[in-house]
Amino acid sequence: MARPSRRGRGAVTIEDVARAAGVSAMTVSRVINDGRNVRESTRAAVLEAIEKLNYSPNTAARSLAAGEAAHIGLLYANPSASYLAEFLIGALHAVRSAGAHLVIESCESEDADEQAEVTRRFATSDVEGVILPPPLSESGPIIAELDSLGIPVVTVATGAPREESLNVRIDDYAAAMEMTRYLLDLGHRDIGFIKGHPNHIASHDRYRGFCDALTEAGLDCEKAPVEQGYFSYRSGLIAGERLLSRAGAPTAIFASNDDMAAATISVAHRRGLDVPDDLSIVGFDDTALATSVWPELTTVKQPIAAMAEAALELLIADLRRRRSGAPHKFAERVLSHAMIIRESSGPPPGTHKGKARRPAKES
């Protein structure tokens, strides 16, 4: 058996036990805390090393092992590369700060069996909890498979979380209503809308916010020009083309995410329209794409990176509760959104710009 190193008053450390047993410190922490996915032969070797070295973990170390030292899974399939990049930045920052490890898997299939198969990979990766960003946060097969594996899950950006889950979101309805009111305050009355993916609750919440703001202003939402999108740039090109091909095209278009809004700007340029003098275009999310297009995009800021960090914090807190024997409890965080006013929006054509009321610009 390897000779243990000593720190402080000669105390044996978890690293000493790991070296003696020929495993990682993470594996030792799982054995100490009765974690899953540890082979019996490995568990026996660790327990033998603990006994021979007379190792006694303190409460603080056990608390750390219950949370920060965990392997956290992240399963993604987002059609917006900009959204995914922001989310990964937040998740990586959070796990680094917590001293955790991130295990990332991709699941592009919408087939229930294939989604369940991908999810099962986490069971062989020592994953103790999983973060599900949209759209997989609303996948019944994935959540059911995680439940069957006994792996806690935190969903992100779903407006209808289960009682058994953890959830992080913004108020999509209120944000969309605020953006629509802004366009109405500029003087627009012919406002087009590009919906998000029909299977996402956030898409319906944003459309409800749009409609209720129109109704509040005395307009008929049923008569508003609306096209279906799927949160992808390509779907935005198709929807934008359809909206601008209509007789009596709208003077403003509200797209349900920045990718589709950026695509609509491209369609407007191709048609020789000036944005915003001929057409105002606004989006949702405030991803890096919003400042990569010309003109820069007015949008709703969804704190995507902060949502990923909040998801990890909720998950680690839940793991600590479970390790201590406390019952699981539902928890949700609703983060704040913000209006970001840039150059892609303005009053309708023919309106004197001095008459329109615009919120203060945020950068």
Side-chain angles (χ1 to χ4, degrees):
M1 180 169 292
R3 181 177 179 177
S5 62
R6 306 282 177 171
R7 283 188 290 181
R9 299 177 179 174
V12 178
T13 68
I14 194 171
E15 289 81 9
D16 294 331
V17 175
R19 279 192 292 271
V23 298
S24 68
M26 177 71 69
T27 300
V28 175
S29 73
R30 286 200 178 86
V31 172
I32 293 169
N33 291 283
D34 296 322
R36 305 180 316 276
N37 303 323
V38 179
R39 294 179 182 176
E40 286 306 313
S41 58
T42 301
R43 188 182 301 276
V46 171
L47 292 175
E48 181 183 359
I50 288 173
E51 182 178 358
K52 287 186 177 181
L53 295 176
N54 195 27
Y55 174 65
S56 179
N58 59 38
T59 304
R62 296 191 65 163
S63 176
L64 182 68
E68 287 84 338
H71 278 85
I72 302 298
L74 191 154
L75 189 60
Y76 73 89
N78 199 291
S80 168
S82 298
Y83 184 102
L84 180 59
E86 294 266 347
F87 196 88
L88 285 174
I89 288 171
L92 290 169
H93 179 267
V95 295
R96 185 170 60 249
S97 299
H101 306 273
L102 194 63
V103 179
I104 302 174
E105 292 283 356
S106 170
C107 181
E108 302 297 335
S109 175
E110 295 185 2
D111 179 77
D113 291 336
E114 292 182 16
Q115 287 187 344
E117 182 181 351
V118 171
T119 305
R120 283 192 289 272
R121 295 176 192 168
F122 287 128
T124 60
S125 302
D126 292 335
V127 164
E128 298 187 53
V130 172
I131 299 172
L132 289 180
L136 299 183
S137 55
E138 295 174 8
S139 168
I142 288 175
I143 293 174
E145 188 65 30
L146 289 170
D147 283 345
S148 71
L149 294 170
I151 299 177
V153 60
V154 54
T155 53
V156 179
T158 178
R162 305 171 310 140
E163 290 184 1
E164 309 85 44
S165 70
L166 310 167
N167 190 52
V168 177
R169 66 181 178 90
I170 66 166
D171 189 335
D172 290 276
Y173 169 81
M177 196 170 191
E178 187 175 349
M179 177 60 82
T180 308
R181 285 170 175 165
Y182 161 69
L183 292 173
L184 291 165
D185 284 347
L186 286 174
H188 294 280
R189 290 298 178 269
D190 298 315
I191 305 173
F193 189 83
I194 302 178
K195 293 181 177 180
H197 197 292
N199 293 341
H200 301 179
I201 294 171
S203 299
H204 298 285
D205 287 344
R206 293 173 194 181
Y207 181 59
R208 282 196 307 112
F210 168 74
C211 281
D212 284 358
L214 292 185
T215 301
E216 180 184 74
L219 302 175
D220 187 353
C221 182
E222 294 295 325
K223 295 181 179 179
V226 176
E227 292 292 340
Q228 182 65 60
Y230 295 88
F231 287 134
S232 66
Y233 187 91
R234 181 172 179 77
S235 71
L237 288 175
I238 296 170
E241 192 70 55
R242 287 175 177 169
L243 284 173
L244 295 178
S245 296
R246 294 180 180 227
T251 62
I253 295 175
F254 180 6
S256 291
N257 78 341
D258 291 344
D259 288 60
M260 297 190 297
T264 305
I265 288 178
S266 176
V267 172
H269 289 332
R270 189 170 67 244
R271 287 175 162 266
L273 297 173
D274 183 276
V275 179
D277 287 348
D278 298 324
L279 174 69
S280 289
I281 299 174
V282 299
F284 202 110
D285 286 339
D286 195 34
T287 59
L289 185 59
T291 53
S292 301
V293 296
W294 177 81
E296 292 188 359
L297 192 61
T298 290
T299 187
V300 172
K301 182 176 182 61
Q302 181 173 202
I304 299 169
M307 291 168 76
E309 294 186 39
L312 187 95
E313 290 171 3
L314 280 181
L315 191 53
I316 284 181
D318 185 69
L319 289 174
R320 284 175 173 164
R321 279 194 298 271
R322 290 169 184 263
R323 290 293 183 86
S324 67
H328 166 74
K329 63 178 182 179
F330 170 77
E332 181 176 62
R333 289 191 190 175
V334 181
L335 276 62
S336 300
H337 64 272
M339 289 277 292
I340 307 297
I341 310 302
R342 297 194 179 100
E343 290 74 34
S344 70
S345 56
T351 301
H352 188 273
K353 293 187 178 183
K355 294 181 180 179
R357 179 169 63 86
R358 303 184 65 177
K361 180 179 177 181
E362 289 191 51
S363 57

